Amino acid sequence: MTNRLSGSTSPYLLQHEDNPVDWWEWSPAAFAEARRRDVPILLSIGYAACHWCHVMAHESFEDPATAAVVNEHTLPIKVDREERPDVDAVYMQATQAMTGQGGWPMTSFLTPEGTPFFCGTYFPREPFTALVRAVSAAWRDKRADVLHQGQAVVEALTGAGSLPAGPPLTAVQLDSAAGILVGEHDPVDGGFGGAPKFPPSMVLEFLLRHAARTGRADVRSVVELTAERMARGGIYDQLGGGFARYSVDARWVVPHFEKMLYDNALLLRVYLHIWRATGSALARRVTEETADFLVRDLRTPEGGFASALDADTDGVEGLTYVWRPEQLREVLGDDDGTWAAELLAVTPTGTFEEGASTLQLPRDPDDDARWAGVRDRLLASRSQRPQPARDDKVVAAWNGLAVAALAECGALLGRPEYVQAAVAAADLLLDLHLVDGRLRRVSRTGAVGVHAGVLEDYGDVAEGLLVLHQVTADGRWLDQAVRLLDTVLAHFGDGTGGFYDTADDAEALVRRPQDPTDNATPSGANAVAAALVTSAALTGDTRHRAAAEAALARVSAVVEGHPRFAGWAAAAGEAIVAGPLQVAVVGGRDELEHLARMSTSPGAVVVAGGPGAPGVPLLADRPLVDGLPAVYVCRGFVCDLPRTVLEDVAAAVQSGPL
């Protein structure tokens, strides 16, 4: 028998549709039923690619005896954190407040009004069963104590996460942020901090922009070292391209094998920008391989991009990806197998578990043709292994990040198929996810879900559309991006320059979430601020510029003192300090357009098209010069004379110390 989850759009919830637990989705009906039965709510939050979520499911939720206890004593609700980030944010904050840590699976007990009174994460079967019984007894026999505990938690959370308005973000603060990051950087293996180590994509984007603006070689070296170590480590898929979620060690050797759309979209753009700044062959290779991974392995039939590939295959983490020396020889023969084992750091003792090794590439191969053949054969062999499950829901925000990355990648590298993939995803977002002028969070198999988009959806989708406008000179992308950002200003503002994560007409939770700091993805507030900067540069809309500056002022102290948690805000701040540069390429000369797009000036916007192209403000009132294609360069509302000579254009669009 299936439970109530069988009609969900979430692959994570569908993984639980055959559980003997009588799951409900998050809904008013579920809370009403808890009130009718007078039982506490068991709220279980996770996501499809979460290893320990699967473990707890197998141990407890698939066990009939455990399920019977849960069903008798609680009203169980299952939530996909990727589908409902607002719900996740509220109860994760409660979990962290109660336990000092958080993570998934998240296990919380709530009153029928949604007030949390006991929170935790993973529980083995026997302790979990005992906990459910104890919570039920406390609800029955010590109701006043439970309600008091819940009220204390809610009061502690009220106002948490919001930051007071601060001074405008300045170049001095950005200099301080860069200095802190240089000091915190691992000078041997790159990245920041110890194990586990996460790809610091947003911080790297900021440091790239800062190095371009200031000319600081030490800052750029941090980016180059971290990017190279990640690309040569086991966190990067040396055969199929793309990055795993994080490394369990400090040297990037052993990944947590899930592959997330958002990580790869963000890192794709970082490596593209490293190649643009340095000409690194490694960065270009990783850029193209990661873009190919997105299009090949995550694209859905409807044109969007799936959320993730699981860490597990048949319940075993990394089963698809790890190798032993004898397996390499079996596929490649003795000579190539031995050569590949040495090249890819596959050892007899192994670097992972049970003698298996992740694949690393500590150095470039000395024979490119041989490596290409070996790689193709290994990838073909790997494709015959059991494959990780794919979470095929389309999340608006993460698809917006993918649109931005693929569109820019296609334009810079001359790969029109990447731009076409970006256009298809953007069409899906606007045709399916945009309902009555408002975004919906997810879709699956061409059906849009019922959950409203949150702040990050608006910011990241707007970002993608703004990049697509620059690449295609199509006014509809700009028009839709501006509409989304105006919706944010109308419905998400907190009245003091900041933003809530949910709209003013969204479902009321015990606390309206508001988190201005970056996590695995840019925070909604920082995503919106960055998009507002770009929108203002493309349109001249001073409202958007002022709103961006006000939003960044809310996190200026975080940028200055704790920049690892505000990389996207710092990157947007670099664009404001730098202008940003506005470049209009009028006419049809490819060399001029390529030079303009190769600018490393922070946040530079570039549009190329015919004079006065409709819907493209940057091209308005900018004619050809003596019948020749021309480049118009402006910065901070001050414009240079148009340029037609390649050397002059190259000098005008390059960033430098300001």
Side-chain angles (χ1 to χ4, degrees):
M1 293 180 61
T2 58
N3 54 39
R4 294 173 182 81
L5 304 184
S6 59
S8 174
T9 57
S10 162
Y12 173 63
L13 267 58
L14 291 173
Q15 290 172 355
H16 295 268
E17 66 176 336
D18 296 320
N19 291 172
V21 174
D22 188 20
W23 291 115
W24 291 66
E25 290 197 56
W26 180 278
S27 64
F31 286 88
E33 178 66 7
R35 288 191 292 272
R36 187 191 71 79
R37 289 179 53 199
D38 192 25
V39 293
I41 288 168
L42 165 65
L43 176 63
S44 176
I45 302 180
Y47 59 103
C50 166
H51 172 72
W52 287 102
C53 299
H54 298 322
V55 172
M56 190 166 179
H58 295 323
E59 289 180 345
S60 297
F61 303 145
E62 295 172 9
D63 176 59
T66 305
V69 174
V70 168
N71 294 338
E72 177 184 357
H73 295 289
T74 73
L75 190 291
I77 295 178
K78 176 64 75 172
V79 168
D80 182 343
R81 67 170 296 265
E82 297 173 345
E83 192 172 54
R84 291 300 305 268
D86 51 341
V87 173
D88 178 68
V90 169
Y91 293 102
M92 178 58 74
Q93 191 171 33
T95 300
Q96 291 170 334
M98 289 186 185
T99 68
Q101 60 185 8
W104 300 274
M106 191 199 314
T107 306
S108 302
F109 292 90
L110 323 178
T111 71
E113 284 68 43
T115 302
F117 60 86
F118 186 91
C119 298
T121 52
Y122 163 76
F123 293 97
R125 180 191 300 165
E126 287 75 17
F128 176 66
T129 304
L131 174 63
V132 172
R133 293 184 187 278
V135 165
S136 176
W139 179 254
R140 182 183 63 248
D141 302 330
K142 300 180 180 179
R143 181 77 58 94
D145 292 343
V146 168
L147 296 177
H148 177 76
Q149 167 75 2
Q151 186 59 37
V153 172
V154 171
E155 290 175 358
L157 298 181
T158 301
S162 65
L163 296 171
L169 192 55
T170 65
V172 172
Q173 291 172 309
L174 296 170
D175 291 343
S176 172
I180 289 172
L181 291 168
V182 170
E184 293 178 344
H185 177 244
D186 181 340
V188 176
D189 295 305
F192 303 91
K197 222 176 224 182
F198 290 81
S201 52
M202 292 157 278
V203 166
L204 295 182
E205 183 65 39
F206 158 58
L207 292 176
L208 270 175
R209 291 186 176 193
H210 187 78
R213 179 176 63 83
T214 64
R216 287 184 59 178
D218 60 332
V219 171
R220 196 167 87 172
S221 69
V222 167
V223 177
E224 292 176 352
L225 176 65
T226 298
E228 179 171 3
R229 291 292 190 268
M230 289 195 302
R232 295 195 180 282
I235 192 174
Y236 182 68
D237 185 346
Q238 304 297 342
L239 300 182
F243 290 85
R245 177 71 193 94
Y246 63 86
S247 173
V248 301
D249 61 281
R251 298 179 52 243
W252 311 106
V253 175
V254 178
H256 186 51
F257 289 91
E258 61 188 340
K259 285 180 168 181
M260 312 302 295
L261 172 61
Y262 54 75
D263 283 321
N264 284 283
L266 289 165
L267 288 167
L268 169 58
R269 215 167 172 193
V270 167
Y271 279 87
L272 176 68
H273 293 166
I274 293 171
W275 168 77
R276 181 173 64 183
T278 68
S280 164
L282 174 64
R284 175 157 186 160
R285 174 174 65 79
V286 171
T287 297
E288 294 188 291
E289 290 174 359
T290 301
D292 289 341
F293 159 71
L294 289 180
V295 174
R296 181 189 66 239
D297 292 348
L298 293 185
R299 199 171 184 198
T300 69
E302 297 76 29
F305 292 92
S307 296
L309 299 181
D310 273 10
D312 299 357
T313 304
D314 292 345
V316 179
E317 188 173 8
L319 178 66
T320 303
Y321 301 103
V322 297
W323 296 79
R324 295 179 177 84
E326 61 269 22
Q327 292 175 314
L328 296 178
R329 291 193 294 270
E330 181 181 348
V331 173
L332 302 171
D334 287 343
D335 287 346
D336 279 350
T338 301
W339 181 79
E342 192 276 330
L343 178 69
L344 296 168
V346 177
T347 68
T349 56
T351 58
F352 183 50
E353 297 174 351
E354 300 179 355
S357 293
T358 62
L359 299 188
Q360 303 173 68
L361 194 67
R363 59 175 176 80
D364 287 333
D366 52 17
D367 187 332
D368 289 340
R370 187 181 189 184
W371 165 236
V374 162
R375 181 171 176 251
D376 288 346
R377 282 185 284 165
L378 290 177
L379 189 58
S381 176
R382 193 179 81 178
S383 70
Q384 301 305 308
R385 296 177 172 183
Q387 298 297 304
R390 188 172 86 158
D391 181 342
D392 59 354
K393 71 176 178 295
V394 173
V395 176
W398 307 345
N399 273 255
L401 295 174
V403 168
L406 287 168
E408 189 174 17
C409 187
L412 279 174
L413 299 183
R415 298 287 298 270
E417 67 272 26
Y418 296 156
V419 179
Q420 292 164 6
V423 168
D427 278 333
L428 179 71
L429 292 171
L430 296 182
D431 294 342
L432 187 63
H433 285 245
L434 193 62
V435 179
D436 296 329
R438 304 290 284 273
L439 281 174
R440 298 279 180 89
R441 172 73 174 174
V442 300
S443 67
R444 183 170 180 266
T445 62
V448 70
V450 299
H451 301 301
V454 295
L455 186 63
E456 70 164 352
D457 294 308
Y458 285 83
D460 290 336
V461 172
E463 173 81 10
L465 299 179
L466 292 169
V467 175
L468 202 53
H469 168 72
Q470 294 177 67
V471 168
T472 63
D474 187 336
R476 66 181 172 132
W477 307 123
L478 178 62
D479 177 67
Q480 291 289 356
V482 169
R483 290 174 184 267
L484 292 177
L485 293 173
D486 284 343
T487 297
V488 168
L489 298 182
H491 293 287
F492 287 82
D494 69 358
T496 63
F499 297 103
Y500 289 108
D501 292 330
T502 54
D504 51 11
D505 52 0
E507 174 191 358
L509 303 174
V510 294
R511 180 182 71 83
R512 191 175 178 188
Q514 184 179 33
D515 186 357
T517 57
D518 297 330
N519 199 305
T521 57
S523 75
N526 293 341
V528 164
L532 286 167
V533 173
T534 302
S535 171
L538 288 167
T539 64
D541 189 335
T542 55
R543 292 181 310 115
H544 284 190
R545 172 79 176 211
E549 291 176 344
L552 293 176
R554 292 290 292 272
V555 291
S556 60
V558 180
V559 169
E560 184 176 16
H562 307 280
R564 285 169 60 183
F565 303 100
W568 209 246
E574 287 289 345
I576 285 180
V577 170
L581 212 63
Q582 301 159 294
V583 185
V585 183
V586 181
R589 193 171 170 189
D590 291 343
E591 300 97 322
L592 291 178
E593 180 180 347
H594 180 71
L595 273 177
R597 296 198 187 282
M598 289 296 287
S599 171
T600 59
S601 184
V605 296
V606 180
V607 179
V616 188
L618 219 56
L619 298 176
D621 301 318
R622 286 177 169 144
L624 301 176
V625 175
D626 297 330
L628 297 174
V631 176
Y632 293 78
V633 180
C634 303
R635 185 199 305 264
F637 308 106
V638 178
C639 298
D640 295 340
L641 292 172
R643 300 164 189 262
T644 60
V645 179
L646 289 176
E647 292 77 11
D648 292 344
V649 171
V653 301
Q654 282 311 304
S655 180
L658 298 176

